Amino acid sequence: MGTVLGYFRLDFSSYIGLAKENKSSLPLMGQIYMHIGEEATRLGFLAPSQAAGNPAVIALLDHLAWESCNRGAFRFLAEMDEDEKAFECFRMAGFSVYTRQQIWKIQNSNPATSDLQGEWRPLQSLDTRELQNLYHSIVPPLVQGAEGLDKRIVQGLGYKLNGELLAFVEMISGPNGVYLIPVVHPNMREPHALLSSMVKKVNIQTGKTIFMAVRDYQSWLNSAIEDLNAETSARKVLLVKHLVRRQKVEALNPIRKVLEAHGTEPSATIVQHIRRKK
């Protein structure tokens, strides 16, 4: 039996789609949202959770992907628990895993003062080049292709030592807390002191509960965060569906064509010219 689709159009940056396996079944709802300046939409929620394994989820995800394209998105991102029943439906809808992460909850506290030589300070536009260099050297290409940090402005804090950016943390603030995504150079020998000073800085600025996401390629930070008396949750899987197809295009080289069309004529060498004069 065909799937019945519908929608609630809130505004251009947010959209809620509906899907029903048949007219008598309960509807499934899914929301996408897109931040200004980004090239990807994100799945806000999928409800009800007990119907996540319903085949109608595939039709709903296809519908949301279509709406993402209408908003100019190149990618469709989603996040779920590792043991989520809907994972197979997402895979059948064209999603693939690009990384995993651990979420830590850090209550408002005053971490012990550390003898950290550098300093955390707000990121500025002048830090863009250093931030991108650090990001490209630490983050795997698979993650870079999914999240596209180069195309958006990062709000957060940066850590510099002797004028060199060695770490930064992206901050996403909400009513229930602040969400942090750190990127730290592996040469940092005191990750506990680094994260402790960063948590203290965020507490002073926001006063909110901190949620910190540690990606698998930065898993060595987990032990340092655990020392901050943080609570961990279930591991998350990050998924992406690419909405455009990459196509190789021949790069034209007009200078080479000009040189090939106008060949050079050989001339007499200087030595031969001198001998003739003698």
Side-chain angles (χ1 to χ4, degrees):
M1 188 172 294
T3 302
V4 182
L5 297 172
Y7 66 89
F8 291 124
R9 190 179 299 276
L10 303 178
D11 55 44
F12 187 77
S13 62
S14 182
Y15 177 90
I16 295 179
L18 303 176
K20 296 176 66 176
E21 190 173 6
N22 51 61
K23 293 184 178 180
S24 60
S25 61
L26 293 175
L28 295 173
M29 301 176 62
Q31 182 203 35
I32 57 172
Y33 63 92
M34 185 177 186
H35 295 301
I36 297 175
E38 289 195 356
E39 296 181 343
T41 55
R42 300 174 186 271
L43 182 67
F45 67 82
L46 194 63
S49 58
Q50 60 268 24
N54 193 311
V57 172
I58 301 175
L60 178 59
L61 291 174
D62 287 340
H63 178 61
L64 295 176
W66 178 269
E67 286 295 332
S68 298
C69 292
N70 289 339
R71 285 158 173 74
F74 296 158
R75 299 172 298 277
F76 184 9
L77 305 179
E79 177 183 336
M80 65 176 61
D81 293 340
E82 275 191 325
D83 56 352
E84 188 73 39
K85 294 181 180 179
F87 178 79
E88 187 63 23
C89 292
F90 275 77
R91 189 188 64 80
M92 295 178 66
F95 285 81
S96 58
V97 177
Y98 67 90
T99 191
R100 289 175 169 81
Q101 67 182 15
Q102 188 81 45
I103 305 294
W104 295 87
K105 180 180 179 181
I106 306 174
Q107 298 289 351
N108 290 340
S109 60
N110 294 317
T113 304
S114 58
D115 298 330
L116 202 63
Q117 296 180 359
E119 180 184 3
W120 287 97
R121 61 175 182 79
L123 290 170
Q124 302 176 357
S125 57
L126 296 175
D127 300 320
T128 301
R129 182 180 295 273
E130 283 189 281
L131 185 147
Q132 291 182 355
N133 290 338
L134 179 61
Y135 178 82
H136 288 299
S137 63
I138 301 298
V139 179
L142 189 64
V143 180
Q144 296 181 28
E147 296 184 337
L149 183 70
D150 295 341
K151 304 298 182 181
R152 57 189 174 89
I153 299 175
V154 178
Q155 303 289 341
L157 301 173
Y159 174 80
K160 281 193 173 184
L161 179 62
N162 298 327
E164 181 182 1
L165 185 69
L166 295 177
F168 72 89
V169 57
E170 183 176 5
M171 298 174 57
I172 304 172
S173 184
N176 297 322
V178 57
Y179 187 72
L180 307 179
I181 306 176
V183 175
V184 181
H185 197 284
N187 284 343
M188 291 298 302
R189 298 182 179 180
E190 299 180 356
H192 178 270
L194 179 74
L195 297 177
S196 178
S197 62
M198 183 263 290
V199 168
K200 184 176 181 179
K201 185 85 170 181
V202 175
N203 276 336
I204 294 174
Q205 287 188 359
T206 66
K208 298 179 179 179
T209 301
I210 295 174
F211 297 90
M212 190 179 301
V214 179
R215 305 287 176 79
D216 275 4
Y217 52 85
Q218 296 261 266
S219 59
W220 55 279
L221 295 175
N222 283 321
S223 58
I225 299 176
E226 190 174 5
D227 293 339
L228 299 176
N229 297 322
E231 301 176 7
T232 184
S233 63
R235 279 170 53 83
K236 302 290 184 179
V237 177
L238 302 184
L239 305 165
V240 61
K241 179 175 182 177
H242 293 277
L243 305 177
V244 294
R245 179 178 296 178
R246 295 182 180 180
Q247 184 175 1
K248 293 184 178 180
V249 180
E250 182 182 0
L252 301 178
N253 191 342
I255 297 179
R256 182 175 181 179
K257 288 188 175 182
V258 171
L259 294 176
E260 290 177 350
H262 299 80
T264 57
E265 297 180 358
S267 59
T269 62
I270 297 177
V271 176
Q272 291 178 350
H273 183 68
I274 294 175
R275 287 178 178 176
R276 288 177 182 176
K277 284 186 175 182
K278 290 181 178 180

